[in-house]
Amino acid sequence: MKIASSRTKQLPKDTVDKAAQKAAIDIGLVLGTMLILKYALLSVETLWTYAGPISLLSALAVASWRLRKSGESWVDLGLKRLPSWRKTLVWTFVALVLTTAAGILLESVISSALGDVAAQAAPSKSGRFAGLPGNTAAFIYWLAVAWIIGGFTEEMLFRGLLITRFETLFSRIPFGLVVAIIMPAVLFGQQHYYYQGIGGAFATGGVALVSGILYVVFQRNLWPLSLSHGLANTVGLTLIYTGLQPAT
């Protein structure tokens, strides 16, 4: 199902429609797995902190299965050979700076703009990192989660798979690629609301929007985004572990 929106007009309508139908099935199965598992686990008090990792890894398994059925692999969606270490490092630095700036700016703007509303719209869960400060075992665990789930799984799903599938689904409408970048960003922000609140949801959604744009700019290469995502998470966890940032 390797159909880019720019080539849609050159393909028969039936071919485009079948590709769009297949993309819709992929999106439905992946998001369905992610959301059903996540909200089921969030309702269990002893398991809610694992809801994100378990649901995302399960969605990744479903996505990998769908890719195999389509004759594709994650290499096709962005885990391709690095063009060069120098270029990858430059792209990673650019992604880290832009996404970090977007997150900080948006969270600040939303908090200032909404004021008491933002404070009242508290996250439904809190204390996810309560046991992290000064706890080396917890720090190592969360670092692994930061890289496996944040650095790779989220980038593979929200950038590589969902942008590609939404692009195919909306290939017949104007600005289909723009919509394909926005949709996963909105979903990404919403998925962080339960423990980060409305400010965190907007911040992570903004980060996802910038990441989606960079995914296209970086010629659909996921490595810079995965590396910058993992590094950003590592910095955040380190600040909490050392007590320089309050645990939430």
Side-chain angles (χ1 to χ4, degrees), residues 119-140:
Q120 292 168 7
S124 59
K125 298 289 183 180
S126 60
R128 191 184 197 201
F129 302 113
L132 178 56
N135 188 331
T136 302
F139 180 59
I140 293 172

Side-chain angles (χ1 to χ4, degrees), residues 56 91-93 95-97 99-100 143 145-156 158-159 188 192 195-196 204 207-208 211 222-237:
L56 285 165
W91 284 359
T92 299
F93 177 76
L96 182 61
V97 170
T99 54
T100 300
L143 274 182
V145 172
W147 282 94
I148 296 171
I149 303 300
F152 286 92
T153 304
E154 287 184 339
E155 293 303 324
M156 291 164 71
F158 285 94
R159 256 61 72 190
F188 192 76
H192 289 77
Y195 75 96
Q196 293 189 23
T204 52
V207 167
S211 296
L222 285 172
W223 283 104
L225 297 173
S226 292
L227 293 173
S228 64
H229 194 155
L231 288 170
N233 285 349
T234 299
V235 171
L237 290 172

Side-chain angles (χ1 to χ4, degrees), residues 72-120:
E72 295 175 272
S73 72
W74 289 108
V75 173
D76 298 310
L77 300 189
L79 287 183
K80 59 187 74 174
R81 179 177 295 180
L82 303 175
S84 73
W85 279 109
R86 179 175 296 178
K87 181 179 287 188
T88 300
L89 290 174
V90 171
W91 284 359
T92 299
F93 177 76
V94 169
L96 182 61
V97 170
L98 292 181
T99 54
T100 300
I104 293 173
L105 178 62
L106 268 175
E107 187 163 18
S108 175
V109 168
I110 293 301
S111 297
S112 299
L114 298 183
D116 292 339
V117 175
Q120 292 168 7

Side-chain angles (χ1 to χ4, degrees), residues 16-247:
V16 175
D17 289 343
K18 286 179 181 178
Q21 183 181 38
K22 199 168 185 179
I25 293 171
D26 288 350
I27 293 168
L29 288 173
V30 170
L31 289 182
T33 300
M34 186 189 304
L35 296 175
I36 291 171
L37 265 178
K38 182 171 184 176
Y39 288 102
L41 291 171
L42 282 176
S43 65
V44 182
E45 189 60 32
T46 56
L47 295 176
W48 77 266
T49 57
Y50 306 103
I54 291 173
S55 61
L56 285 165
L57 288 174
S58 299
L60 183 67
V62 172
S64 298
W65 163 62
R66 291 297 297 176
L67 284 174
R68 284 196 299 273
K69 283 183 66 69
S70 300
E72 295 175 272
S73 72
W74 289 108
V75 173
D76 298 310
L77 300 189
L79 287 183
K80 59 187 74 174
R81 179 177 295 180
L82 303 175
S84 73
W85 279 109
R86 179 175 296 178
K87 181 179 287 188
T88 300
L89 290 174
V90 171
W91 284 359
T92 299
F93 177 76
V94 169
L96 182 61
V97 170
L98 292 181
T99 54
T100 300
I104 293 173
L105 178 62
L106 268 175
E107 187 163 18
S108 175
V109 168
I110 293 301
S111 297
S112 299
L114 298 183
D116 292 339
V117 175
Q120 292 168 7
S124 59
K125 298 289 183 180
S126 60
R128 191 184 197 201
F129 302 113
L132 178 56
N135 188 331
T136 302
F139 180 59
I140 293 172
Y141 164 75
W142 283 113
L143 274 182
V145 172
W147 282 94
I148 296 171
I149 303 300
F152 286 92
T153 304
E154 287 184 339
E155 293 303 324
M156 291 164 71
L157 289 174
F158 285 94
R159 256 61 72 190
L161 184 97
L162 288 179
I163 286 179
T164 302
R165 283 345 188 218
F166 275 120
E167 183 182 12
T168 300
L169 183 63
F170 298 123
S171 62
R172 299 184 69 85
I173 69 171
F175 307 107
L177 178 57
V178 175
V179 178
I181 292 172
I182 292 173
M183 289 293 289
V186 172
L187 289 165
F188 192 76
Q190 185 276 331
Q191 288 296 289
H192 289 77
Y193 174 78
Y194 73 100
Y195 75 96
Q196 293 189 23
I198 190 167
F202 272 93
T204 52
V207 167
L209 184 62
V210 172
S211 296
I213 294 170
L214 291 176
Y215 174 62
V216 176
V217 171
F218 292 161
Q219 302 166 15
R220 314 285 175 127
N221 196 311
L222 285 172
W223 283 104
L225 297 173
S226 292
L227 293 173
S228 64
H229 194 155
L231 288 170
N233 285 349
T234 299
V235 171
L237 290 172
T238 301
L239 291 175
I240 296 174
Y241 172 69
T242 56
L244 296 175
Q245 180 175 308

